[in-house]
């Protein structure tokens, strides 16, 4: 089965997508998909060929994905904020047969790109053949008339280096759709609010794939604004959301938040650093929804979470458990390995694939502990702080900090130290104030090991984030170098 077939089997809906004031039905969406698919075929796109696009979060992105799968092409999703270097590398890796760019995006400045308007206006340069008929024939053939199961190239996000292209198949994405709908209890009756870029795996899953297969109304936001989000939740009766904790903190801190405005919310699934028990408890109280942690990556989307029948404490104190055919294990170094049908086929870079995908397992690069099937991410292999030979998990430090009633959010990083090698520095969002003395007293009350106590505290109004919504740790480390620590912070 292909993704196009899964979408075709979904029930019709009067309002399937909402973008600003635009409301698009499933029939209207399908009409756009067929028109764009026909233009792609007329421009020479063949089954199995990559088609790259850089578009805003909105209906156009959904159409681009589905048009690719309608004719059996491989969708190459480029992040809306990708710069010239990232775009050049992405195009060099994927070698697309067609590039589609939104107005004002970097890809639009590259020769040969077309717009969605170009594709919707007509079939383009053809050879006399009926492009609409050709597109329909490809879809009916299943898999686009090619032996390849590849459906998607999506790029990993990160704060260092350039991104790597991750290759997913129709099979891996279809499996994930079914598992997430079952585990989250998602049906046609739900309404999703998706502010994440659709070129990010979370945005793709919850803004394109699951809604398309379920016939579920989805509200797409091109730019996150907590005030606008509150209006949308209330007006559209949004039932579930996914995203990083920074997004929900914006909602909870908004002066116009009122329980009545968010009463439709029933589920919030949150992943990434900073999803601490204290954050989850606060979100539950403020937003009145089930809040649970989830864990996954671009290569292995949402491989662990909790079910509604699981103990409530497990939903917020662990990152969940594996479901379906997914398996998790931890090696001797503490690294989490994942195996399951949702795994990507690999990277466009074959050498990187050989290093990370080993005998059917994906090496996540995350440190974890598994107890009775429940997995807890304790840090990244590259995020360890090594202080005088002691390995310190940044996540463990952050959890202690965020348990303090004054601390809204915290990030721990390694600060170079001539004597100790590295020491623990922490950036905290603490509107009511928080200093090093408060930190030491709090860690002592918590019974934390003395060597994990931060030796430098920087209070900030907000933390810098990457395009994915994750905290930009590299920028924070650079900020440490620009601002030497005060003398009283060093005497520990």
């Amino acid at each position: 089965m292909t993704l196009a077939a899964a979408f075709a089997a979904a029930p019709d809906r009067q309002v399937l997508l909402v973008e600003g004031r635009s409301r698009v039905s499933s029939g209207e969406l399908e009409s756009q998909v067929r028109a764009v698919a026909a233009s792609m075929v007329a421009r020479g796109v063949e089954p199995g060929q990559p088609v790259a696009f850089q578009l805003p979060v909105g209906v156009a992105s959904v159409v681009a994905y589905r048009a690719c799968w309608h004719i059996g092409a491989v969708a190459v999703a480029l992040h809306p904020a990708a710069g010239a270097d990232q775009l050049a590398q992405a195009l060099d890796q994927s070698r697309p047969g067609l590039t589609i760019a939104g107005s004002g995006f970097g890809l639009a400045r590259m020769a040969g790109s077309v717009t969605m308007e170009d594709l919707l206006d007509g079939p383009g340069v053809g050879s006399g053949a009926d492009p609409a008929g050709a597109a329909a024939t490809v879809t009916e053939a299943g898999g686009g008339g090619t032996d390849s199961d590849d459906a998607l190239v999506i790029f990993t996000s990160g704060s260092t280096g350039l991104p790597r292209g991750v290759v997913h198949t129709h099979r891996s994405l279809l499996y994930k759709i079914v598992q997430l709908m079952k585990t989250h209890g998602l049906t046609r009756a739900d309404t999703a609010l998706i502010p994440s870029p659709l070129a990010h795996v979370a945005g793709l899953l919850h803004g394109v794939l699951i809604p398309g297969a379920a016939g579920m109304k989805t509200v797409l936001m091109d730019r996150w604004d907590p005030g606008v989000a509150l209006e949308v939740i209330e007006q559209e009766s949004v039932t579930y959301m996914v995203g990083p904790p920074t997004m929900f903190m914006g909602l909870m801190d908004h002066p116009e938040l009122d329980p009545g405005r968010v009463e439709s919310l029933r589920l919030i699934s949150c992943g990434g650093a900073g999803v601490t028990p204290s954050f989850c408890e606060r979100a539950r109280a403020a937003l009145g929804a089930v809040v649970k942690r989830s864990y996954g990556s671009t290569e292995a989307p949402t491989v662990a979470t909790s079910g509604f029948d699981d103990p409530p404490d497990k939903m917020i104190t662990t990152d969940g458990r594996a479901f379906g055919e997914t398996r998790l294990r931890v090696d001797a170094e503490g690294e989490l390995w994942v195996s399951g049908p949702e795994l990507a086929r690999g990277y466009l870079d074959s050498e990187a694939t050989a290093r990370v995908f080993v005998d059917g397992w994906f090496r996540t690069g995350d440190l974890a502990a598994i107890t009775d099937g429940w997995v807890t991410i304790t840090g990244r292999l590259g995020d360890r702080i090594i202080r005088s030979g002691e390995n310190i998990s940044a996540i463990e430090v952050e959890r202690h900090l965020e348990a303090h009633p004054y601390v809204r959010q915290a990030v721990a990083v390694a600060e170079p130290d001539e004597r100790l090698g590295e020491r623990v520095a922490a950036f905290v969002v603490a509107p009511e104030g928080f200093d090093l003395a408060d930190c030491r007293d709090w860690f002592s009350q918590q019974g934390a090991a003395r060597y994990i106590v931060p030796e430098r505290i920087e209070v900030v109004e907000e933390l810098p984030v990457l395009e994915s919504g994750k905290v930009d740790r590299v920028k924070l480390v650079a900020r440490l170098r620009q601002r030497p620590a005060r003398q009283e912070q060093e005497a520990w």
Side-chain angles (χ1 to χ4, degrees):
M1 188 179 192
T2 64
L3 292 166
F7 298 149
D12 289 337
R13 188 169 186 120
Q14 195 64 32
V15 178
L16 183 68
L17 296 174
V18 178
E19 178 190 348
R21 296 185 178 180
S22 300
R23 305 173 78 80
V24 179
S25 70
S26 53
E28 290 167 336
L29 178 65
E30 183 62 19
S31 177
Q32 291 185 45
V33 168
R34 287 181 176 274
V36 171
S39 288
M40 287 180 176
V41 172
R43 284 172 165 76
V45 177
E46 300 179 352
Q49 190 171 28
V51 173
F53 51 89
Q54 188 183 34
L55 298 165
V57 179
V59 175
S61 288
V62 178
V63 171
Y65 275 117
R66 291 180 60 157
C68 287
W69 297 326
H70 188 81
I71 62 173
V74 179
V76 180
L78 304 175
H79 197 286
D85 287 346
Q86 293 171 315
L87 291 173
Q89 194 204 42
L91 297 178
D92 184 59
Q93 288 184 50
S94 59
R95 307 282 182 179
L98 180 69
T99 57
I100 309 167
S103 176
F105 287 94
L107 193 61
R109 293 189 285 273
M110 297 186 175
S113 290
V114 300
T115 67
M116 287 297 288
E117 290 75 18
D118 293 334
L119 298 176
L120 285 166
D121 285 345
V125 182
S127 56
D130 175 13
T137 301
V138 168
T139 299
E140 290 166 6
T146 176
D147 292 334
S148 173
D149 188 37
D150 291 352
L152 171 75
V153 174
I154 193 166
F155 290 84
T156 57
S157 62
S159 56
T160 60
L162 295 172
R164 291 187 293 193
V166 178
V167 184
H168 272 284
T169 65
H170 288 269
R171 188 177 297 108
S172 66
L173 296 176
L174 285 166
Y175 176 82
K176 197 73 270 178
I177 292 171
V178 172
Q179 283 299 312
L180 284 176
M181 288 176 63
K182 180 179 179 181
T183 303
H184 288 332
L186 299 173
T187 70
R188 185 175 184 271
D190 282 297
T191 296
L193 171 57
I194 305 298
S196 305
L198 301 185
H200 183 272
V201 71
L204 170 64
L205 277 171
H206 299 280
V208 180
L209 296 175
I210 292 174
M216 177 195 307
K217 182 172 72 172
T218 306
V219 183
L220 301 170
M221 287 181 67
D222 186 36
R223 186 171 300 173
W224 174 247
D225 183 309
V228 174
L230 281 174
E231 293 178 9
V232 168
I233 292 169
E234 184 177 19
Q235 293 170 5
E236 302 292 342
S237 298
V238 171
T239 61
Y240 96 104
M241 297 174 64
V242 297
T246 49
M247 186 171 77
F248 298 104
M249 287 177 183
L251 278 180
M252 293 186 286
D253 292 336
H254 197 277
E256 296 180 12
L257 174 66
D258 179 88
R261 302 190 69 185
V262 294
E263 62 183 357
S264 61
L265 278 177
R266 69 172 186 85
L267 172 63
I268 291 171
S269 180
C270 204
V275 192
T276 59
S278 57
F279 160 79
C280 293
E281 289 172 349
R282 182 180 172 226
R284 281 179 176 179
L287 303 175
V290 172
V291 179
K292 59 179 182 175
R293 287 161 54 172
S294 297
Y295 168 76
S297 63
T298 304
E299 298 90 340
T302 316
V303 291
T305 191
S306 306
F308 288 100
D309 295 332
D310 287 327
D313 67 305
K314 295 295 186 184
M315 294 184 184
I316 67 174
T317 60
T318 77
D319 293 292
R321 58 189 175 92
F323 283 85
E325 300 174 46
T326 304
R327 292 182 293 163
L328 308 174
R329 69 181 177 90
V330 174
D331 68 12
E333 298 296 317
E335 182 182 8
L336 181 67
W337 293 44
V338 179
S339 176
E342 65 268 81
L343 285 190
R345 180 174 65 74
Y347 299 109
L348 292 175
D349 181 342
S350 59
E351 293 184 4
T353 300
R355 289 194 302 270
V356 178
F357 291 84
V358 181
D359 297 329
W361 290 86
F362 167 60
R363 301 182 58 176
T364 66
D366 290 317
L367 300 170
I370 300 177
T371 304
D372 297 328
W374 295 97
V375 62
T376 301
I377 304 301
T378 59
R380 287 283 298 172
L381 282 173
D383 282 348
R384 284 193 247 199
I385 303 167
I386 305 176
R387 182 188 186 278
S388 192
E390 294 284 358
N391 289 332
I392 300 169
S393 164
I395 288 180
E396 183 182 4
V397 176
E398 291 160 6
R399 285 175 178 161
H400 279 294
L401 286 167
E402 292 189 358
H404 192 282
Y406 291 173
V407 177
R408 288 277 189 264
Q409 194 177 7
V411 173
V413 297
E415 181 177 24
D417 183 271
E418 291 183 3
R419 182 172 61 89
L420 301 172
E422 292 177 340
R423 62 177 184 172
V424 183
F427 290 83
V428 299
V429 178
E432 298 181 61
F434 188 78
D435 59 21
L436 194 61
D438 294 327
C439 175
R440 291 173 180 168
D441 289 344
W442 179 249
F443 273 67
S444 178
Q445 292 175 37
Q446 296 290 301
R450 190 173 184 271
Y451 66 85
I452 78 166
V453 179
E455 294 158 286
R456 178 172 177 177
I457 294 291
E458 292 284 343
V459 178
V460 294
E461 292 185 3
E462 61 180 7
L463 295 166
V465 295
L466 298 166
E467 298 154 0
S468 63
K470 298 176 182 177
V471 173
D472 190 339
R473 293 173 181 269
V474 169
K475 185 173 287 185
L476 291 176
V477 172
R479 192 178 300 182
L480 287 178
R481 297 193 184 100
Q482 294 168 2
R483 296 190 301 191
R486 292 184 295 273
Q487 185 63 38
E488 64 271 17
Q489 292 179 326
E490 295 178 347
W492 175 235

